[in-house]
Amino acid sequence: MSRSFTAPKGTFDLIPPESATFLRVRDAFAAGPKLAGYGYVETPIFEDTALIHRGVGESTDIVTKETYTFTDRGGRSLTLRPEATASVVRAALEHGLHRGQLPVKLWYSGSFFRYERPQSGRYRHFSQVGAEALGATDASLDAELVWLAAEAYRRLGLGGCRLLLNSLGDPQCRPAYRQRLQEFLRGLDLDDDTRGRVDINPLRVLDDKRAEVRKQLHGAPLLADHLCAECQEHYDEVRALLADLGVSYVDDPRLVRGLDYYTRTTFEFVHDGLGAQSAVGGGGRYDGLSSDIGGPSLPSVGWSLGVDRTVLAMRAEGIAVDDAPRCAVFVVPLGDDAHRRMVPVLATLRTAGVSSDMVYGGRGLKGAMKAADRSGARYAVIVGERDLRGDVAQLKDLASGEQVAVPLADLVDNLQEKLT
Ligand code: HAM
């Protein structure tokens, strides 16, 4: 017996009718950047492994545990992209976009890959829509991006998203803080792994979710109390602008994101209906990323919103998307001649922008009408042998049951009129 196949672990298929909700979410996320002057960018699904390591950060979980890395037939080490920001900056530098008008505003939508332990809301293949503004330090860009994301969640009808906000400082103020934090953490009772993290990436320890670690973190020094004057001023301005824009947020001085490139503003949108994987989207400033990957200084800010978790959040709030893939017109030819005749009519309907489908599989009148009813169409166009001889079709309103004969030559106009 031949084996049967299933989607790989940690992945899932998007099928109708649920797939319509994913499209709705993607469209809602992309609408804002399009209105705010962001151009569409698409980068390869795999990148040079070194770019991902340098861009995302050697010490991150993403790089140490979660990459899908392979050697291609030419001996190059490539990695399936776990996120897009490093790729977008690479592409902007490669094509010299940063030498034109700044900021360079770009948005994207696509698949990303992380070898994580799968659970609800955490997949190995997932989908994000993102927006990045490269080459400006203006706090108003940070605020613009946060507002665009908040507005997208609002438009989707999500009431339960909370925005967490923090500043991670910059190379002026972070090193001294990092040292203070390390001193504090080294005095705690931590396991070897966590001690290792204190040496490499102490800020991540602040984000540890385990109760035995959390209870020891009371009194840990917080970066919010050690920002330099410039970072403090920038953060204050972002907050003031968000207040002007009517975006509510919660200051979360322990918010540390899982990517190493962040500086200054960082934020996360969380939804309480999702359990452990509560972040539906996040982002922040990454003023040093361009120089980290060999480019000039290009202070930038952006976000990526998770499509999969946002769909789960909509389900948790009971937000329904009318997602049946429905056509307005369903054509029912009875017999081979009628079938033959209606194929080009169907094409004309579609050219005229009337969504239309037809019964297939040579069913009789009863089966064909059942298919028409199930299709959810508003009108059925029934054509039998006698109709063909008279060059007419029977146009049936599937809601009222009312049926009239319409000359085939007038059918498209007639339907267009009825449907507008
Ligand atoms: P991130 O926080 O790693 O940021 O991912 C953004 C969003 O993608 C998360 O909030 C979550 O909704 C979704 N996501 C991440 N991993 C998974 C997964 N395994 N399964 C399902 N959904 C997931 C970034 O990726 C940065 N590039 C954001 C950014 C853009 N920062 C600046 N610009």
Side-chain angles (χ1 to χ4, degrees), residues 10 12 62 66 82-86 108 112-116 119 121-128 130-132 153 257-259 261-262 267-269 277-286 300-310:
F12 60 91
I62 296 180
E66 297 170 2
E83 62 105 49
T85 310
Y108 51 86
F112 298 88
F113 308 87
R114 297 183 192 175
Y115 190 80
E116 299 202 74
Q119 54 181 272
R122 184 153 81 186
Y123 310 108
R124 292 181 174 172
H125 168 224
F126 58 96
S127 173
Q128 289 180 345
E132 317 283 352
Y153 293 124
R257 311 229 328 107
L259 302 116
Y261 48 63
Y262 289 114
F267 54 89
E268 206 153 80
F269 288 89
Q277 305 307 315
S278 62
V280 288
R285 233 175 213 287
Y286 46 94
S300 307
V301 56
W303 47 241
S304 311
L305 309 182
V307 177
D308 313 82
R309 286 190 200 162
T310 302

Side-chain angles (χ1 to χ4, degrees), residues 253-314:
R254 285 171 195 267
L255 177 70
V256 180
R257 311 229 328 107
L259 302 116
D260 275 356
Y261 48 63
Y262 289 114
T263 50
R264 296 194 166 177
T265 319
T266 45
F267 54 89
E268 206 153 80
F269 288 89
V270 293
H271 192 279
D272 294 327
L274 295 185
Q277 305 307 315
S278 62
V280 288
R285 233 175 213 287
Y286 46 94
D287 293 345
L289 175 56
S290 169
S291 31
D292 288 347
I293 62 167
S297 163
L298 201 62
S300 307
V301 56
W303 47 241
S304 311
L305 309 182
V307 177
D308 313 82
R309 286 190 200 162
T310 302
V311 169
L312 292 179
M314 287 172 71

Side-chain angles (χ1 to χ4, degrees), residues 150 152-163 248 270-272 313-314 317 319:
Y153 293 124
R154 191 192 64 77
R155 277 212 229 158
L156 284 168
L158 280 171
C161 284
R162 283 186 299 123
L163 168 61
S248 7
V270 293
H271 192 279
D272 294 327
M314 287 172 71
E317 287 197 24
I319 300 169

